[in-house]
Amino acid sequence: MMNFGPCFVRFRLAAPARGRVVSRTVRGVEVQRALFSSSRSSSSSCTFGHNFGSPRSKSKISISTIFCVIGPIAYYKWTVSQRRIEQEYRIAVDPRFKTLFPNEAWKPDTSVDPFMRSVTIDGSEFWLLGLGVRTVSFLKLHVYAVGIYVAKDDVPEILTTVESISSDLDTRSIVLDNKLGLEIFDALLQQPIRFALRIVPVRNTDFGHLRDGFVRSVMASIKSHHSIIGDADTSDGINQLRSLFSRKLSVPKNGELMMTMNKSGMLNCTYSPKIKDSEILGTVTDRSVVKALMLHYLAGPQAASEQARVAFADSVAFCLDAK
């Protein structure tokens, strides 16, 4: 018998053939535990300490406790930040604010530089109507920020098309609706409306990764929007898109890739590193491939960036309200 103050612990060294029994008395209550294991020369005290109070078991409990406490707090902070971001979107894209502050930038929800709300492409002014982040995997890893621009002179055509849709839903819900939204963008992409996509990587990458990503996105979009794109042969167009990124070229963080759909439905692509002037990569002339790429960012539940799609819908709603 060993005396540890008010607590008495007793070890019974007698053990059965295939194991041993550990017994302890805590404040007058005896607890026995049979430990069935092979015979060893280790003492009973070591076995008792390993099974009843090991540091490893304590560390497991502490880690699980930390996750249980931090998890709900982190989720709450994330939901609050998302609401704040959505509110900033609604304020940032209001044309009335844009008229007052034409040079003000719009910061995406990632680590790249802000996007200008107004840019000039081929001598025409383009407005930033949608901004978001492309993420991958269930971890929501940031890949690049994407801005959806529309030529200022073509914005009225978008508003007229949206107003022509007969529905009890509000403007924002119409644009975001899977069926009605697809109908809207199908009609818009058949008109001479100029769209532009500004792609800015969140981390250093290269042309090979960009090429593979765009080709996979276009092929998936062709399959999911088959009712719009049809059975047209898109192999030449996909090869054109692939050839734009044929060089082994590194793309730094904050490098800019601008993909502009002109009035003819062709896609002109330029690339600009952070410190150099932009260079022309080439043109995709296949209108089916161009439409599939644009639909990948504008419509459907599997859009490249849900943030950008929602922001675009908010912008259209604001423009209609400001008419």
Side-chain angles (χ1 to χ4, degrees):
M1 182 83 68
M2 293 180 289
N3 189 346
F4 291 90
C7 178
F8 297 91
V9 180
R10 182 180 61 196
F11 297 94
R12 186 163 57 190
L13 299 180
R18 295 187 57 190
R20 51 185 174 272
V21 176
V22 176
S23 175
R24 66 175 181 176
T25 302
V26 180
R27 296 187 182 274
V29 179
E30 182 175 314
V31 180
Q32 292 187 352
R33 182 176 179 182
L35 303 175
F36 294 95
S37 58
S38 59
S39 298
R40 288 186 291 229
S41 60
S42 60
S43 66
S44 299
S45 61
C46 294
T47 306
F48 179 83
H50 175 74
N51 287 277
F52 284 91
S54 69
R56 183 177 181 183
S57 62
K58 290 182 180 179
S59 64
K60 287 184 179 180
I61 295 175
S62 62
I63 292 174
S64 62
T65 304
I66 290 173
F67 275 107
C68 290
V69 173
I70 293 179
I73 297 175
Y75 178 76
Y76 171 76
K77 290 187 175 181
W78 179 80
T79 54
V80 171
S81 66
Q82 288 298 109
R83 292 172 185 169
R84 175 183 58 79
I85 292 167
E86 290 182 1
Q87 182 64 25
E88 289 178 356
Y89 282 161
R90 293 186 174 90
I91 296 174
V93 300
D94 190 340
R96 291 165 292 187
F97 282 86
K98 182 176 175 58
T99 302
L100 294 174
F101 309 103
N103 295 322
E104 189 174 348
W106 188 356
K107 181 72 172 67
D109 183 27
T110 189
S111 60
V112 300
D113 294 339
F115 282 46
M116 297 305 297
R117 295 188 190 175
S118 177
V119 298
T120 301
I121 303 175
D122 295 332
S124 299
E125 183 182 3
F126 280 69
W127 280 6
L128 177 60
L129 297 187
L131 180 65
V133 180
R134 168 65 169 168
T135 60
V136 294
S137 83
F138 69 96
L139 297 175
K140 302 297 182 182
L141 300 176
H142 291 191
V143 180
Y144 57 77
V146 54
I148 303 174
Y149 289 83
V150 177
K152 178 183 176 181
D153 295 338
D154 297 337
V155 171
E157 294 294 331
I158 294 179
L159 305 184
T160 301
T161 302
V162 173
E163 285 182 312
S164 67
I165 300 296
S166 177
S167 175
D168 296 332
L169 300 175
D170 59 274
T171 302
R172 181 178 185 270
S173 299
I174 290 175
V175 178
L176 292 177
D177 185 81
N178 292 336
K179 183 178 179 181
L180 297 177
L182 193 59
E183 181 181 340
I184 289 172
F185 291 114
D186 181 27
L188 292 177
L189 294 175
Q190 294 182 31
Q191 301 178 39
I193 296 177
R194 291 161 292 176
F195 288 91
L197 301 173
R198 183 173 185 258
I199 309 293
V200 178
V202 173
R203 57 181 57 85
N204 296 341
T205 182
D206 54 49
F207 269 21
H209 283 90
L210 293 175
R211 177 196 63 223
D212 295 342
F214 288 133
V215 169
R216 283 196 301 266
S217 298
V218 167
M219 295 180 70
S221 182
I222 292 173
K223 184 177 180 180
S224 59
H225 301 120
H226 181 266
S227 60
I228 294 177
I229 297 174
D231 297 322
D233 184 9
T234 57
S235 58
D236 291 340
I238 291 177
N239 288 333
Q240 288 178 348
L241 179 63
R242 189 180 282 114
S243 67
L244 299 179
F245 307 95
S246 58
R247 290 180 296 167
K248 294 183 178 180
L249 188 65
S250 298
V251 179
K253 176 181 178 179
N254 282 312
E256 176 190 275
L257 179 66
M258 188 70 79
M259 311 176 82
T260 307
M261 189 182 80
N262 59 26
K263 289 187 175 183
S264 301
M266 300 181 183
L267 192 72
N268 299 321
C269 300
T270 62
Y271 165 67
S272 176
K274 290 185 292 186
I275 58 176
K276 295 183 179 181
D277 295 333
S278 61
E279 59 175 302
I280 299 174
L281 298 180
T283 302
V284 178
T285 60
D286 190 319
R287 298 192 61 173
S288 296
V289 171
V290 176
K291 179 182 287 188
L293 180 65
M294 289 297 171
L295 288 174
H296 179 61
Y297 289 92
L298 293 170
Q302 297 180 346
S305 172
E306 184 66 13
Q307 279 185 337
R309 192 171 80 97
V310 171
F312 187 91
D314 286 334
S315 300
V316 173
F318 269 117
C319 289
L320 281 174
D321 292 341
K323 284 183 64 177

